Amino acid sequence: MITWQVAAEGPLFRLDERLGGELFGRGPARLTQLFSDLGGMPVALPVLVCAIAYALWRGARRLPVYAALTMAAVPALVIPLKVATARQGPLTEAVNYYPSGHTATAAVAYGASALLLLALPRPSWLRAWLPPLAAVLLTAATGFGLVLHGYHWPLDVLASWCLGPLLLAPLWWVARRR
């Protein structure tokens, strides 16, 4: 529904642009930039690589490969959607802003890291709720930072928040079986 509204420039699209216009520039610029950067490959990918390396070191073999494949699926899905919708960015004439690649990257990198950690025997200090909570908070911070800093419209971020669980579902299924 979100993609349809963006492509058709429907009522939700117009509401999104009004809401985005109200939100841009809110909050401390350095903090919103920091939050935005959490979804970039230079930050999110090393977190996933560390989780994969830890899982391999702890003896996992297949699950780290599935986590890497899940991360590889992000650009394979997001880039065609960006090209198909050709949505203009909020403070630029450039297009291909929908859905947010940074938000999708954050959702999958942090979500896959959490799933990897949960599938392994945990040290006593690592509670079962900590990795998922960290993944949700980091992904949410990324999305809010992108909107508040003016890099993305709210629907761009919301669409990627919806894509994240879809991409992570097969990895969750495999991790749950462990």
Side-chain angles (χ1 to χ4, degrees):
M1 183 176 122
I2 297 170
T3 303
W4 167 64
Q5 283 292 297
V6 168
E9 296 187 12
L12 198 55
F13 176 86
R14 291 187 292 279
L15 175 65
D16 181 49
E17 291 196 340
R18 282 195 308 273
L19 179 62
E22 292 293 321
L23 293 173
F24 299 151
R26 302 272 177 139
R30 286 187 179 171
L31 185 61
T32 59
Q33 181 64 55
L34 173 70
F35 286 170
S36 299
D37 291 342
L38 291 173
M41 285 290 191
V43 178
L45 193 57
V47 170
L48 179 58
V49 167
C50 287
I52 288 172
Y54 180 71
L56 288 169
W57 179 66
R58 295 291 306 263
R61 294 293 172 247
R62 289 188 181 164
L63 200 55
V65 173
Y66 294 143
L69 290 173
T70 302
M71 191 70 226
V74 171
L77 182 62
V78 168
I79 291 172
L81 280 170
K82 285 180 174 288
V83 172
T85 57
R87 185 174 195 190
Q88 184 175 336
L91 303 175
T92 181
E93 296 294 318
V95 294
N96 299 342
Y97 277 75
Y98 176 91
S100 167
H102 278 73
T103 306
T105 297
V108 171
Y110 301 133
S113 297
L115 289 172
L116 280 171
L117 291 175
L118 289 176
L120 300 171
R122 291 183 294 283
S124 60
W125 62 268
L126 184 62
R127 304 286 185 238
W129 54 268
L130 189 59
L133 178 64
V136 167
L137 290 176
L138 290 169
T139 303
T142 299
F144 287 120
L146 289 166
V147 171
L148 295 176
H149 208 75
Y151 290 136
H152 276 286
W153 300 104
L155 282 181
D156 302 349
V157 168
L158 182 59
S160 291
W161 281 343
C162 293
L163 283 175
L166 290 174
L167 288 167
L168 289 168
L171 182 62
W172 173 80
W173 184 77
V174 170
R176 189 184 67 152
R177 290 183 47 191
R178 303 204 160 277

